Amino acid sequence: MTDPMIVGWSHTRFGKSEAPDTCALMAEAIPAALDHAGITAADVDGIFTGVFNNGFSAQDFQGALAGMAVPELGQVPATRYENACATGSAALHGAMDFIAAGRGRIALVVGAEKMTATPTAQVGDILLGASFRAEEADIEAGFAGLFGQITAGYFQRHGDKSRELAMIAAKNHENGMLNPYAHMQKDLGVEFCDTISDRNPRVAGPLRRSDCSLISDGAAVLVLADAETAATMQRAVAFRARTHANDPMALSRRDVLEFRAARSAWAQALEQAGLTLDDLSLVETHDCFTIAEMLEYEAMGLAEPGQGHRVIRDGVTRRDGRLPVNLSGGLKSKGHPIGATGVSQHVMAAMQLCDDAGQMQLPGARLAGVFNMGGAAVTNYVSILERVK
């Protein structure tokens, strides 16, 4: 069994979109992806759609919307995936399994979400659906409140790292300045991110607004092809590894500060690829909150538990560091339309490997890691990508 390859993509601007719904976002993104791959709708054997929804829209059955957005795709088999904030990666794995099993040669992976039309307080409650409501439904400030608790627990165990969280936020906003698709293209600076103010209030626990990812609209699409078909196309990005690991949803059943399943997914991916972190050129990781990126430094092996602050202090993950992280600006600056996020992360990594990242481009990028998680490190996906054509 050979995993398929990425042969094309597209990406809308993330942010507050004039598109009224996910169908309109798909209509914007899908034709551009087909054109980028050099194919037509008639070449597509399957569509794998990632949309979280959970109340963002009364319209569900979102797998069928690709065929509404692009009528030529109306009779192509289509399926909708949902796996919290890792919804896009779940759709990607479904498409890869479909091709690897020989059921088709070319597949579309479509990630989309329309969030900004929903009142902010309601957004928080919708996202709290990615927690274990039987025990965690009363957490104040929604999903931000859950990560506020995680941050407070981390500070209690390892000391106040507010300054380092501000450094992570500032790094990602600085990177986002170079990303034309980013929701917020503004260099906020460390001092702003580390200072409580009217423009940067506390949101939950120690978390400030600048520690939280953005409520965004957007869509991203990947075109996948089997190896034989990819060999005939303009470009091909291969998966040296792809892994998926889970932990119990309820915070009461694990030490959430370990990000244990994230650590497992990273270890499996590096072993599968026959690589170490030192071999990677860059990583796109899931910074839904700045504390998540710090914990992910530890999970991927850049630091021992409790020492993630040293990674940003030492500049390891800056653009000019040993392992640049979130050159796209990450979820923090690029935005976080839930269903589109995992797809977007893979698009950003593929762009770097194909020397197609414009101002974001890291010279000589050869291998890229992608980490996308759902919930508080409940479901965890790692990909290691390499350009082969």
Side-chain angles (χ1 to χ4, degrees), residues 239-244 261-283 296-303 322-323 367-371 381-385:
F239 287 76
R240 285 283 294 266
R242 62 178 175 110
T243 60
H244 178 197
R263 184 180 300 274
S264 175
W266 266 108
Q268 291 176 49
L270 291 169
E271 181 180 4
Q272 191 180 114
L275 300 169
T276 70
L277 284 179
D278 290 335
D279 296 311
L280 300 184
S281 305
L282 61 107
V283 168
E296 287 154 22
Y297 292 162
E298 299 172 11
M300 72 175 77
L302 281 175
R322 177 165 56 89
L323 183 59
L367 291 158
V370 176
F371 174 75
Y381 293 83
V382 174
S383 300
I384 296 179
L385 305 178

Side-chain angles (χ1 to χ4, degrees), residues 11-34:
H11 200 293
T12 71
R13 171 78 182 265
F14 282 4
K16 186 174 177 60
S17 172
E18 294 183 1
D21 50 33
T22 52
C23 187
L25 288 165
M26 292 179 198
E28 182 180 347
I30 292 173
L34 296 175

Side-chain angles (χ1 to χ4, degrees), residues 168-385:
I168 289 172
K171 167 185 70 72
N172 291 346
H173 278 287
E174 182 180 354
N175 288 342
M177 289 282 290
L178 302 177
N179 185 354
Y181 302 106
H183 183 157
M184 184 181 288
Q185 297 170 8
K186 188 172 184 180
D187 188 357
L188 297 180
V190 176
E191 293 306 324
F192 174 86
C193 295
D194 196 31
T195 303
I196 303 296
S197 67
D198 290 343
R199 293 173 57 216
N200 191 31
R202 287 196 186 276
V203 173
L207 293 176
R208 302 145 297 197
R209 182 179 291 164
S210 59
D211 292 306
C212 306
S213 59
L214 302 163
I215 296 170
S216 310
D217 309 327
V221 178
L222 290 164
V223 182
L224 303 181
D226 64 19
E228 183 179 349
T229 303
T232 69
M233 306 186 85
Q234 181 178 343
R235 69 189 65 79
V237 176
F239 287 76
R240 285 283 294 266
R242 62 178 175 110
T243 60
H244 178 197
N246 264 54
D247 232 353
M249 182 186 291
L251 300 184
S252 64
R253 300 188 189 183
R254 58 194 167 104
D255 181 354
V256 72
L257 300 186
E258 289 185 8
F259 270 30
R260 179 177 58 187
R263 184 180 300 274
S264 175
W266 266 108
Q268 291 176 49
L270 291 169
E271 181 180 4
Q272 191 180 114
L275 300 169
T276 70
L277 284 179
D278 290 335
D279 296 311
L280 300 184
S281 305
L282 61 107
V283 168
E284 285 290 319
T285 202
H286 192 102
D287 59 318
C288 50
F289 301 91
T290 52
I291 187 64
E293 181 165 329
M294 185 178 289
L295 284 164
E296 287 154 22
Y297 292 162
E298 299 172 11
M300 72 175 77
L302 281 175
E304 294 298 318
Q307 300 302 308
H309 64 284
R310 293 187 175 182
V311 174
I312 190 66
R313 279 278 182 187
D314 293 343
V316 172
T317 55
R318 290 185 57 82
R319 168 172 287 274
D320 58 355
R322 177 165 56 89
L323 183 59
V325 171
N326 286 338
L327 290 171
S328 69
L331 285 58
K332 184 66 203 70
S333 175
K334 175 164 56 76
H336 187 21
I338 306 299
T341 287
V343 183
S344 167
Q345 289 179 301
H346 285 83
V347 170
M348 293 291 128
M351 288 172 66
Q352 288 284 352
L353 297 177
C354 291
D355 198 25
D356 195 26
Q359 287 185 294
M360 292 184 288
Q361 186 64 51
L362 181 71
R366 291 182 51 256
L367 291 158
V370 176
F371 174 75
N372 181 208
M373 74 178 183
V378 176
T379 191
N380 305 265
Y381 293 83
V382 174
S383 300
I384 296 179
L385 305 178

Side-chain angles (χ1 to χ4, degrees), residues 4 6 48 81 87-97 109 222 224 239 242 342-343 346 383:
I6 298 170
F48 298 78
Y81 285 72
T87 286
S89 289
L92 171 62
H93 275 228
M96 294 182 73
D97 291 345
V109 182
L222 290 164
L224 303 181
F239 287 76
R242 62 178 175 110
V343 183
H346 285 83
S383 300

